[in-house]
Amino acid sequence: MSQLFIAVLNMTLTASYVALAVIVVRLLLLKAPKIFSYALWSVVLFRLVIPISFESPLSLLPNRTQGIPQDIIHSQAPAINTGMGIVDRAVNHSIQISLPPANPTSSVNPMGVALELGAVIWILGITGLLGYAIYSYFRLKGQLSTATLIKDNIYETDRIQNPFVLGLIKPKIFIPVGLAESELNYILLHEQIHIKRKDYLIKPIAFLAVTLHWFNPLIWYCYYLMEKDMEMSCDESVMKQTKGDIRASYSNSLLSLSMKQSGFLNPLAFGESNVKSRIKNVLNYKKPRFWIIAVAVIVVVAVSIGLLANPEVRAENYTKSEQLFKYKTEYVGNASKVGQIINALDFPKEVVYDYFELGTENIPYSVTIHFKTDFLVESEELFKKNAIIMFTLIGNVDLINFNISEGSSKKLLQYTRDWANNEMGREVDQFAKEEAEFTQLLKQLDYFEDVNNSNLNIL
Amino acid sequence: MEELKLFDAEYKFLDIIWELEPINSTELTKVCMTKLDWKKSTTYTMIRKLSERGILKNENATVIALVKRKQVHKYESEALLAKAFDGSLPSFLATFLQDKRLSKKEAKEIQKMIEEATK
């Protein structure tokens, strides 16, 4: 359950970034037909429910390694990396001050507990929201049982105040009794366009996506904006399909129907909202000029591709170097920094990180990292490289041990600083003087190949 | 006898009964299905509710109305846009002033917007 929750948290981060971008672009599209703004929301929807995507250099998303890593539960020094410094620092700091430090010998992992708790609350929230939605849907259906047929799929009843479409399989149009003849035409046309565009399906699907992210107010705001765009683009369609200038009478119809709303949380029925914006939009309607449409299409397509694509991994190489370098320390006793370094290192897929321990009582000072695995560890290569990196970044450590439990047997890989210096042909702590030198070290080690091969990059 | 107020659905239902009474209840459900697109259960519920109120009687599966057309006044819900308004804006404003959702200021604003735009 925690894994799912973490996946959703990562999706909410990406989707939020995408949502902000869409909101900004929407402002640029004010003069264009609302259908373009409406179309952009599909990108946000994609990011809300699909955790993966293709990579492209055209991506507009910021570089990040894993956002919230799936193995954060096992980390000695849990931290997130979203690519947004402010967010990272704030979250990581609050993790540090609120959770007790992970004790390798105790069986309770504070981060794990916190996440499990979060996952439970998350599920409860979803259940609550869905329960409410289903309840109000059936209640509405009950109130509509005495609606009477006018023709085709149009029903009237005096129990409602606004016209709407209801029904997932055979959508029906419900209108309040007593609508003036003149208005009836626009209303019906408006609702029929909704049906033709399958809006009565899109809205519940969007609602489901939003419930998954119920804790994220930005996503709710997006839902509200999406509804507005949906309605306004439908109004524009009505105007387009009707001969003559109907702006005055259509606005009058809208005004006369602008009564109490059926409730923003009743998502399965088809409410009409934001009358003032809609009337303004109707009054400002002009037959859209070709060049506006052309520009809008280009903008929407370009932005969509940019936001649907994930950033390419290649650019990660330099952030890897950054990630490691910032935790360099003179003292192996600095458990926090050592933990962060280990967290940022990449180990073979086959092993599962367990915990680390420091040997600081006697020299040689050491760091021992414990792993578990079900498979035979193929090669020592990656361990060697990691050892070299650790000798570079941790000033006074002289012995690095990797203790791997393979089933019932243990395998111990040991490396000394002398060995590392030998391998590299110089004192490795020299590489820690400047970040540029450290990046060179990583390049020399061909570390990036391993990084790219062993990471499953999920954004 | 006072005038009875009925909901729109109830009125339409009685309309059918007045036309066809006395009518077998099963027959009635068939007619309601055709004319109103009501499920059988809806019609039966309606029969039950109205007989409880003494508006109709259902004996031996035969339905007759206990009230006459003259005695019934069609219920006007608050949301009903009476055709008397005839699309004139000031009348709408008057209605909305009673409705807390749309403020006086807002309605005037909107009215102005419409007048400006369609000069």
Short mmCIF file of all heavy atoms in Angstrom, two decimals, chain A residues 154-197:
data_model
loop_
_atom_site.label_atom_id
_atom_site.label_comp_id
_atom_site.label_asym_id
_atom_site.label_seq_id
_atom_site.Cartn_x
_atom_site.Cartn_y
_atom_site.Cartn_z
N ILE A 154 -35.14 13.76 -23.79
CA ILE A 154 -35.31 14.97 -22.99
C ILE A 154 -36.46 14.81 -22.01
O ILE A 154 -37.57 14.43 -22.40
CB ILE A 154 -35.60 16.17 -23.91
CG1 ILE A 154 -34.49 16.26 -24.97
CG2 ILE A 154 -35.68 17.45 -23.11
CD1 ILE A 154 -34.85 17.14 -26.13
N TYR A 155 -36.18 15.09 -20.74
CA TYR A 155 -37.18 14.95 -19.70
C TYR A 155 -37.34 16.26 -18.95
O TYR A 155 -36.39 17.03 -18.82
CB TYR A 155 -36.76 13.88 -18.70
CG TYR A 155 -36.69 12.50 -19.29
CD1 TYR A 155 -35.65 12.12 -20.13
CD2 TYR A 155 -37.69 11.55 -19.02
CE1 TYR A 155 -35.60 10.86 -20.68
CE2 TYR A 155 -37.64 10.29 -19.56
CZ TYR A 155 -36.59 9.95 -20.40
OH TYR A 155 -36.54 8.70 -20.94
N GLU A 156 -38.54 16.51 -18.43
CA GLU A 156 -38.69 17.71 -17.63
C GLU A 156 -39.22 17.35 -16.24
O GLU A 156 -39.91 16.34 -16.05
CB GLU A 156 -39.60 18.74 -18.31
CG GLU A 156 -41.06 18.41 -18.27
CD GLU A 156 -41.91 19.58 -18.75
OE1 GLU A 156 -41.36 20.67 -19.04
OE2 GLU A 156 -43.14 19.42 -18.81
N THR A 157 -38.85 18.19 -15.27
CA THR A 157 -39.30 17.97 -13.91
C THR A 157 -39.24 19.30 -13.17
O THR A 157 -38.44 20.17 -13.50
CB THR A 157 -38.41 16.93 -13.20
OG1 THR A 157 -38.77 16.91 -11.82
CG2 THR A 157 -36.95 17.29 -13.31
N ASP A 158 -40.09 19.44 -12.17
CA ASP A 158 -40.04 20.69 -11.42
C ASP A 158 -39.16 20.55 -10.18
O ASP A 158 -39.15 21.41 -9.32
CB ASP A 158 -41.46 21.15 -11.03
CG ASP A 158 -42.21 20.08 -10.26
OD1 ASP A 158 -41.66 18.99 -10.04
OD2 ASP A 158 -43.36 20.34 -9.87
N ARG A 159 -38.45 19.43 -10.11
CA ARG A 159 -37.60 19.22 -8.95
C ARG A 159 -36.21 19.83 -9.11
O ARG A 159 -35.40 19.77 -8.21
CB ARG A 159 -37.39 17.73 -8.70
CG ARG A 159 -38.63 16.94 -8.54
CD ARG A 159 -39.30 17.22 -7.18
NE ARG A 159 -40.17 16.11 -6.84
CZ ARG A 159 -39.86 15.16 -5.97
NH1 ARG A 159 -38.73 15.20 -5.34
NH2 ARG A 159 -40.68 14.16 -5.76
N ILE A 160 -35.89 20.30 -10.30
CA ILE A 160 -34.54 20.82 -10.50
C ILE A 160 -34.60 22.27 -10.94
O ILE A 160 -35.64 22.74 -11.42
CB ILE A 160 -33.76 20.02 -11.57
CG1 ILE A 160 -34.47 20.11 -12.92
CG2 ILE A 160 -33.61 18.59 -11.14
CD1 ILE A 160 -33.71 19.42 -14.03
N GLN A 161 -33.50 22.96 -10.78
CA GLN A 161 -33.46 24.36 -11.17
C GLN A 161 -32.62 24.63 -12.39
O GLN A 161 -32.83 25.58 -13.10
CB GLN A 161 -32.96 25.21 -10.00
CG GLN A 161 -34.05 25.49 -9.01
CD GLN A 161 -33.60 25.23 -7.59
OE1 GLN A 161 -32.53 24.70 -7.36
NE2 GLN A 161 -34.42 25.62 -6.64
N ASN A 162 -31.59 23.77 -12.58
CA ASN A 162 -30.74 23.94 -13.76
C ASN A 162 -30.86 22.74 -14.66
O ASN A 162 -31.00 21.62 -14.18
CB ASN A 162 -29.27 24.04 -13.35
CG ASN A 162 -29.01 25.26 -12.51
OD1 ASN A 162 -29.70 26.25 -12.63
ND2 ASN A 162 -28.02 25.16 -11.65
N PRO A 163 -30.75 22.94 -15.95
CA PRO A 163 -30.76 21.79 -16.85
C PRO A 163 -29.41 21.07 -16.79
O PRO A 163 -28.38 21.71 -16.55
CB PRO A 163 -30.96 22.41 -18.24
CG PRO A 163 -30.61 23.84 -18.10
CD PRO A 163 -30.62 24.22 -16.67
N PHE A 164 -29.45 19.78 -16.98
CA PHE A 164 -28.18 19.04 -17.01
C PHE A 164 -28.36 17.70 -17.69
O PHE A 164 -29.48 17.29 -18.00
CB PHE A 164 -27.63 18.83 -15.60
CG PHE A 164 -28.60 18.17 -14.64
CD1 PHE A 164 -28.82 16.80 -14.67
CD2 PHE A 164 -29.29 18.94 -13.72
CE1 PHE A 164 -29.70 16.21 -13.78
CE2 PHE A 164 -30.16 18.35 -12.83
CZ PHE A 164 -30.38 16.98 -12.85
N VAL A 165 -27.22 17.04 -17.91
CA VAL A 165 -27.22 15.70 -18.49
C VAL A 165 -26.87 14.71 -17.39
O VAL A 165 -25.97 14.94 -16.61
CB VAL A 165 -26.17 15.60 -19.61
CG1 VAL A 165 -26.02 14.18 -20.10
CG2 VAL A 165 -26.53 16.52 -20.75
N LEU A 166 -27.61 13.61 -17.34
CA LEU A 166 -27.31 12.59 -16.34
C LEU A 166 -27.37 11.22 -16.98
O LEU A 166 -28.23 10.95 -17.81
CB LEU A 166 -28.32 12.66 -15.19
CG LEU A 166 -27.97 11.80 -13.97
CD1 LEU A 166 -26.72 12.32 -13.29
CD2 LEU A 166 -29.13 11.78 -12.99
N GLY A 167 -26.47 10.35 -16.58
CA GLY A 167 -26.48 8.99 -17.12
C GLY A 167 -25.18 8.69 -17.82
O GLY A 167 -24.68 9.51 -18.58
N LEU A 168 -24.64 7.50 -17.54
CA LEU A 168 -23.34 7.15 -18.12
C LEU A 168 -23.48 6.36 -19.40
O LEU A 168 -22.66 6.44 -20.29
CB LEU A 168 -22.52 6.34 -17.11
CG LEU A 168 -22.11 7.10 -15.86
CD1 LEU A 168 -21.57 6.14 -14.82
CD2 LEU A 168 -21.07 8.14 -16.20
N ILE A 169 -24.55 5.55 -19.46
CA ILE A 169 -24.69 4.69 -20.64
C ILE A 169 -25.68 5.29 -21.64
O ILE A 169 -25.38 5.41 -22.82
CB ILE A 169 -25.16 3.28 -20.22
CG1 ILE A 169 -24.22 2.76 -19.13
CG2 ILE A 169 -25.15 2.35 -21.42
CD1 ILE A 169 -24.72 1.51 -18.47
N LYS A 170 -26.86 5.66 -21.11
CA LYS A 170 -27.83 6.33 -21.98
C LYS A 170 -28.12 7.70 -21.38
O LYS A 170 -29.06 7.87 -20.61
CB LYS A 170 -29.13 5.51 -22.05
CG LYS A 170 -29.08 4.38 -23.07
CD LYS A 170 -30.45 3.83 -23.40
CE LYS A 170 -31.15 3.32 -22.15
NZ LYS A 170 -32.08 2.23 -22.42
N PRO A 171 -27.27 8.66 -21.72
CA PRO A 171 -27.41 9.97 -21.07
C PRO A 171 -28.75 10.62 -21.42
O PRO A 171 -29.17 10.58 -22.57
CB PRO A 171 -26.25 10.77 -21.66
CG PRO A 171 -25.86 10.08 -22.89
CD PRO A 171 -26.19 8.64 -22.72
N LYS A 172 -29.37 11.19 -20.38
CA LYS A 172 -30.65 11.87 -20.58
C LYS A 172 -30.49 13.34 -20.23
O LYS A 172 -29.74 13.69 -19.33
CB LYS A 172 -31.72 11.27 -19.67
CG LYS A 172 -32.00 9.81 -19.92
CD LYS A 172 -33.07 9.30 -18.95
CE LYS A 172 -33.40 7.85 -19.25
NZ LYS A 172 -34.12 7.23 -18.13
N ILE A 173 -31.23 14.17 -20.95
CA ILE A 173 -31.20 15.60 -20.66
C ILE A 173 -32.38 15.92 -19.76
O ILE A 173 -33.53 15.59 -20.07
CB ILE A 173 -31.34 16.43 -21.96
CG1 ILE A 173 -30.18 16.12 -22.89
CG2 ILE A 173 -31.39 17.91 -21.64
CD1 ILE A 173 -30.28 16.82 -24.22
N PHE A 174 -32.11 16.56 -18.63
CA PHE A 174 -33.18 16.95 -17.71
C PHE A 174 -33.29 18.46 -17.71
O PHE A 174 -32.30 19.16 -17.53
CB PHE A 174 -32.90 16.45 -16.30
CG PHE A 174 -33.00 14.96 -16.19
CD1 PHE A 174 -31.87 14.16 -16.33
CD2 PHE A 174 -34.22 14.35 -15.96
CE1 PHE A 174 -31.96 12.78 -16.25
CE2 PHE A 174 -34.33 12.96 -15.88
CZ PHE A 174 -33.19 12.18 -16.02
N ILE A 175 -34.51 18.96 -17.89
CA ILE A 175 -34.70 20.41 -17.84
C ILE A 175 -35.80 20.75 -16.84
O ILE A 175 -36.71 19.95 -16.61
CB ILE A 175 -35.08 20.99 -19.22
CG1 ILE A 175 -36.34 20.31 -19.75
CG2 ILE A 175 -33.95 20.83 -20.21
CD1 ILE A 175 -36.82 20.92 -21.04
N PRO A 176 -35.70 21.92 -16.23
CA PRO A 176 -36.75 22.33 -15.29
C PRO A 176 -38.00 22.72 -16.08
O PRO A 176 -37.89 23.18 -17.21
CB PRO A 176 -36.13 23.55 -14.59
CG PRO A 176 -35.06 24.02 -15.49
CD PRO A 176 -34.60 22.89 -16.32
N VAL A 177 -39.17 22.55 -15.46
CA VAL A 177 -40.39 22.92 -16.18
C VAL A 177 -40.47 24.42 -16.32
O VAL A 177 -39.86 25.16 -15.56
CB VAL A 177 -41.67 22.42 -15.46
CG1 VAL A 177 -41.63 20.93 -15.32
CG2 VAL A 177 -41.81 23.10 -14.13
N GLY A 178 -41.24 24.85 -17.27
CA GLY A 178 -41.51 26.28 -17.39
C GLY A 178 -40.47 27.07 -18.14
O GLY A 178 -40.42 28.29 -18.04
N LEU A 179 -39.62 26.43 -18.87
CA LEU A 179 -38.65 27.19 -19.65
C LEU A 179 -39.36 27.83 -20.83
O LEU A 179 -40.17 27.19 -21.49
CB LEU A 179 -37.54 26.29 -20.17
CG LEU A 179 -36.49 25.82 -19.17
CD1 LEU A 179 -35.44 25.00 -19.88
CD2 LEU A 179 -35.84 27.01 -18.49
N ALA A 180 -39.00 29.08 -21.09
CA ALA A 180 -39.62 29.76 -22.22
C ALA A 180 -39.18 29.09 -23.52
O ALA A 180 -38.06 28.62 -23.65
CB ALA A 180 -39.22 31.22 -22.21
N GLU A 181 -40.08 29.09 -24.49
CA GLU A 181 -39.80 28.47 -25.79
C GLU A 181 -38.49 28.96 -26.36
O GLU A 181 -37.68 28.19 -26.86
CB GLU A 181 -40.92 28.84 -26.78
CG GLU A 181 -42.09 27.87 -26.83
CD GLU A 181 -41.64 26.44 -27.09
OE1 GLU A 181 -40.86 26.22 -28.05
OE2 GLU A 181 -42.05 25.56 -26.32
N SER A 182 -38.30 30.29 -26.30
CA SER A 182 -37.12 30.89 -26.92
C SER A 182 -35.83 30.36 -26.32
O SER A 182 -34.84 30.18 -27.00
CB SER A 182 -37.18 32.41 -26.76
OG SER A 182 -37.38 32.70 -25.39
N GLU A 183 -35.87 30.07 -25.02
CA GLU A 183 -34.65 29.60 -24.38
C GLU A 183 -34.43 28.12 -24.62
O GLU A 183 -33.28 27.65 -24.63
CB GLU A 183 -34.74 29.81 -22.88
CG GLU A 183 -34.78 31.27 -22.50
CD GLU A 183 -35.17 31.41 -21.04
OE1 GLU A 183 -35.63 30.42 -20.45
OE2 GLU A 183 -35.01 32.51 -20.53
N LEU A 184 -35.54 27.42 -24.75
CA LEU A 184 -35.45 25.97 -24.83
C LEU A 184 -34.48 25.53 -25.91
O LEU A 184 -33.69 24.61 -25.71
CB LEU A 184 -36.84 25.40 -25.12
CG LEU A 184 -37.10 23.98 -24.64
CD1 LEU A 184 -36.78 23.87 -23.16
CD2 LEU A 184 -38.55 23.61 -24.90
N ASN A 185 -34.51 26.21 -27.05
CA ASN A 185 -33.65 25.81 -28.15
C ASN A 185 -32.17 25.83 -27.79
O ASN A 185 -31.45 24.88 -28.05
CB ASN A 185 -33.89 26.72 -29.36
CG ASN A 185 -35.27 26.48 -29.94
OD1 ASN A 185 -35.78 25.36 -29.87
ND2 ASN A 185 -35.87 27.51 -30.49
N TYR A 186 -31.75 26.95 -27.18
CA TYR A 186 -30.33 27.05 -26.83
C TYR A 186 -29.96 26.00 -25.80
O TYR A 186 -28.92 25.37 -25.88
CB TYR A 186 -29.99 28.41 -26.23
CG TYR A 186 -30.41 29.57 -27.06
CD1 TYR A 186 -30.96 30.70 -26.47
CD2 TYR A 186 -30.26 29.55 -28.44
CE1 TYR A 186 -31.35 31.77 -27.22
CE2 TYR A 186 -30.66 30.62 -29.20
CZ TYR A 186 -31.20 31.74 -28.59
OH TYR A 186 -31.60 32.80 -29.33
N ILE A 187 -30.82 25.89 -24.79
CA ILE A 187 -30.54 24.94 -23.71
C ILE A 187 -30.34 23.55 -24.27
O ILE A 187 -29.36 22.87 -23.97
CB ILE A 187 -31.69 24.90 -22.69
CG1 ILE A 187 -32.03 26.27 -22.18
CG2 ILE A 187 -31.36 23.93 -21.57
CD1 ILE A 187 -30.99 26.84 -21.28
N LEU A 188 -31.32 23.13 -25.11
CA LEU A 188 -31.24 21.78 -25.65
C LEU A 188 -30.01 21.60 -26.52
O LEU A 188 -29.31 20.58 -26.43
CB LEU A 188 -32.51 21.47 -26.45
CG LEU A 188 -33.75 21.31 -25.58
CD1 LEU A 188 -34.97 21.02 -26.44
CD2 LEU A 188 -33.55 20.19 -24.57
N LEU A 189 -29.73 22.60 -27.33
CA LEU A 189 -28.55 22.52 -28.19
C LEU A 189 -27.29 22.39 -27.34
O LEU A 189 -26.42 21.56 -27.59
CB LEU A 189 -28.47 23.76 -29.08
CG LEU A 189 -27.38 23.75 -30.15
CD1 LEU A 189 -27.47 22.50 -30.99
CD2 LEU A 189 -27.49 25.00 -31.02
N HIS A 190 -27.21 23.20 -26.29
CA HIS A 190 -26.06 23.16 -25.39
C HIS A 190 -25.89 21.77 -24.80
O HIS A 190 -24.80 21.18 -24.84
CB HIS A 190 -26.27 24.20 -24.28
CG HIS A 190 -25.20 24.24 -23.25
ND1 HIS A 190 -24.24 25.23 -23.22
CD2 HIS A 190 -24.92 23.43 -22.21
CE1 HIS A 190 -23.42 25.02 -22.20
NE2 HIS A 190 -23.82 23.94 -21.57
N GLU A 191 -26.97 21.22 -24.28
CA GLU A 191 -26.85 19.89 -23.66
C GLU A 191 -26.55 18.81 -24.69
O GLU A 191 -25.79 17.87 -24.43
CB GLU A 191 -28.14 19.53 -22.90
CG GLU A 191 -28.54 20.50 -21.80
CD GLU A 191 -27.46 20.68 -20.73
OE1 GLU A 191 -26.63 19.77 -20.56
OE2 GLU A 191 -27.43 21.74 -20.09
N GLN A 192 -27.11 18.96 -25.87
CA GLN A 192 -26.84 17.95 -26.90
C GLN A 192 -25.38 17.98 -27.34
O GLN A 192 -24.79 16.93 -27.64
CB GLN A 192 -27.76 18.17 -28.11
CG GLN A 192 -29.12 17.56 -27.88
CD GLN A 192 -30.19 18.23 -28.71
OE1 GLN A 192 -29.95 19.19 -29.42
NE2 GLN A 192 -31.41 17.71 -28.60
N ILE A 193 -24.81 19.18 -27.36
CA ILE A 193 -23.39 19.25 -27.68
C ILE A 193 -22.56 18.55 -26.62
O ILE A 193 -21.60 17.84 -26.92
CB ILE A 193 -22.94 20.72 -27.85
CG1 ILE A 193 -23.60 21.32 -29.08
CG2 ILE A 193 -21.43 20.82 -27.97
CD1 ILE A 193 -23.34 22.79 -29.25
N HIS A 194 -22.95 18.74 -25.36
CA HIS A 194 -22.26 18.04 -24.28
C HIS A 194 -22.28 16.54 -24.52
O HIS A 194 -21.29 15.85 -24.33
CB HIS A 194 -22.93 18.32 -22.93
CG HIS A 194 -22.45 19.56 -22.26
ND1 HIS A 194 -21.12 19.91 -22.17
CD2 HIS A 194 -23.13 20.54 -21.60
CE1 HIS A 194 -21.01 21.06 -21.51
NE2 HIS A 194 -22.22 21.46 -21.15
N ILE A 195 -23.45 16.04 -24.92
CA ILE A 195 -23.59 14.61 -25.14
C ILE A 195 -22.72 14.18 -26.32
O ILE A 195 -22.02 13.16 -26.25
CB ILE A 195 -25.07 14.22 -25.39
CG1 ILE A 195 -25.86 14.45 -24.11
CG2 ILE A 195 -25.18 12.78 -25.84
CD1 ILE A 195 -27.32 14.02 -24.21
N LYS A 196 -22.76 14.96 -27.39
CA LYS A 196 -21.97 14.58 -28.55
C LYS A 196 -20.48 14.52 -28.23
O LYS A 196 -19.76 13.67 -28.71
CB LYS A 196 -22.21 15.60 -29.68
CG LYS A 196 -22.21 14.92 -31.01
CD LYS A 196 -22.69 15.63 -32.26
CE LYS A 196 -22.80 17.09 -32.30
NZ LYS A 196 -22.60 17.60 -33.67
N ARG A 197 -20.03 15.44 -27.36
CA ARG A 197 -18.61 15.47 -27.01
C ARG A 197 -18.26 14.50 -25.90
O ARG A 197 -17.12 14.50 -25.43
CB ARG A 197 -18.21 16.89 -26.57
CG ARG A 197 -18.22 17.90 -27.67
CD ARG A 197 -17.50 19.18 -27.30
NE ARG A 197 -17.64 19.55 -25.89
CZ ARG A 197 -17.21 20.70 -25.40
NH1 ARG A 197 -16.63 21.56 -26.20
NH2 ARG A 197 -17.36 20.98 -24.13
#
